[in-house]
Amino acid sequence: QKEVEQNSGPLSVPEGAIASLNCTYSDRGSQSFFWYRQYSGKSPELIMFIYSNGDKEDGRFTAQLNKASQYVSLLIRDSQPSDSATYLCAVFRDTGRRALTFGSGTRLQVQP
Amino acid sequence: DAGITQSPRHKVTETGTPVTLRCHQTENHRYMYWYRQDPGHGLRLIHYSYGVKDTDKGEVSDGYSVSRSKTEDFLLTLESATSSQTSVYFCAISEPGGDEKLFFGSGTQLSVL
C-alpha cells in the first residue's frame, strides 16, 4: 500500500464547475498536509496546506481534512482552464526525517 | 523559484559515467532536499540535508550520494549512471518550524543512454 494515494485521473470538469480532488494516507500519525499544483514541464507549486480537521479556504481553493478517515481533499470552485494541471497531495510526519511524502498526483482537465 | 537555482537544466549522459547535479539557494535555508519524479511514482525523496555536512538518506538513495560543504549548495552525484536513473530531479528547500512547506527549483531533466 502506498503511503499517499491519489487517483491519477484525468479528472475532467467543465469550466465554472467545482473540481474535487481526493487523497488518502496510510500513516495515522501524519501531522501536516499539503497540496501542490504542477503544470506540465514545470516544478510543483504549493497552493494549500492544512493542519487541523475541517475546512480551510483560500480564494477559490478549499482544503478539507478528516484525520479519522485519513482523508484530505482539495476543492476548486469556478474551475478555469488555467487550473488544468497535476495536483500533488503531500503529507508530513516528524519521524526524524523532516521531509514530505508525496502521492503520484491527479491530472485535472478543465474543459472550456 | 524561491531563490533556488538548479544546474544543469538538461543533461544527457551515458551509462556508467558519473554525474553531478547542483542546487544553489540564496535564502540561507537550513534544510535542502533532492527528489526525483517519474511517471506513476510522483516525487520520491533521494537525500536531504539539515545543515552543512549533515545529510541523510531518503527512500530511493541507492546509487546516489550528496554533499553539502556550504549552506547555499547541495550537490547530488550519481556515482555510475544507469538508465533507471533517467528522471526529472528537483531540489527543494524548507524552514523547520512544525511544518515542512517545500519550495522547489525548476528541475533537471536527466537522460541516461
Side-chain angles (χ1 to χ4, degrees):
Chain A
Q1 181 189 9
K2 287 185 178 179
E3 291 186 52
V4 180
E5 297 219 41
Q6 298 180 254
N7 188 316
S8 61
L11 172 66
S12 185
V13 300
E15 184 174 355
I18 295 175
S20 178
L21 302 154
N22 304 314
C23 171
T24 58
Y25 59 95
S26 60
D27 185 349
R28 191 168 285 277
S30 296
Q31 298 161 274
S32 310
F33 306 86
F34 304 84
W35 282 100
Y36 284 80
R37 177 177 62 199
Q38 186 175 26
Y39 292 113
S40 181
K42 301 296 185 182
S43 57
E45 171 193 12
L46 179 65
I47 55 171
M48 289 291 289
F49 54 92
I50 187 167
Y51 309 132
S52 305
N53 278 330
D55 295 0
K56 178 182 178 182
E57 187 175 317
D58 184 2
R60 295 187 297 113
F61 298 103
T62 298
Q64 299 175 315
L65 175 61
N66 183 327
K67 288 189 176 181
S69 300
Q70 294 176 244
Y71 178 95
V72 58
S73 64
L74 178 69
L75 301 179
I76 306 175
R77 290 181 299 282
D78 188 24
S79 295
Q80 300 298 309
S82 59
D83 294 324
S84 297
T86 296
Y87 289 80
L88 303 169
C89 172
V91 303
F92 170 73
R93 179 180 181 180
D94 189 358
T95 61
R97 175 187 292 178
R98 298 184 67 83
L100 299 185
T101 301
F102 285 83
S104 55
T106 298
R107 188 156 65 94
L108 173 67
Q109 293 177 340
V110 181
Q111 307 295 336
Chain B
D1 291 332
I4 309 169
T5 303
Q6 290 186 234
S7 59
R9 291 295 310 277
H10 303 273
K11 185 166 182 70
V12 180
T13 192
E14 295 186 348
T15 298
T17 60
V19 176
T20 295
L21 308 183
R22 180 180 184 242
C23 179
H24 178 79
Q25 56 132 332
T26 60
E27 315 232 340
N28 203 33
H29 287 266
R30 180 182 171 195
Y31 284 78
M32 298 183 75
Y33 306 81
W34 280 107
Y35 282 86
R36 61 177 287 176
Q37 187 173 37
D38 305 287
H41 290 280
L43 287 156
R44 292 181 291 174
L45 180 67
I46 305 171
H47 282 278
Y48 72 102
S49 170
Y50 47 97
V52 173
K53 293 186 169 40
D54 291 323
T55 64
D56 202 356
K57 295 179 180 181
E59 60 184 298
V60 290
S61 60
D62 287 348
Y64 301 94
S65 63
V66 290
S67 66
R68 191 161 177 209
S69 58
K70 298 185 290 185
T71 298
E72 58 265 36
D73 289 325
F74 191 31
L75 304 180
L76 176 70
T77 297
L78 288 65
E79 310 285 349
S80 176
T82 68
S83 58
S84 65
Q85 293 175 312
T86 293
S87 187
V88 180
Y89 291 85
F90 286 104
C91 175
I93 59 174
S94 77
E95 279 293 351
D99 64 68
E100 291 297 328
K101 300 184 187 73
L102 293 189
F103 301 95
F104 288 86
S106 299
T108 295
Q109 172 68 62
L110 176 67
S111 297
V112 183
L113 305 180

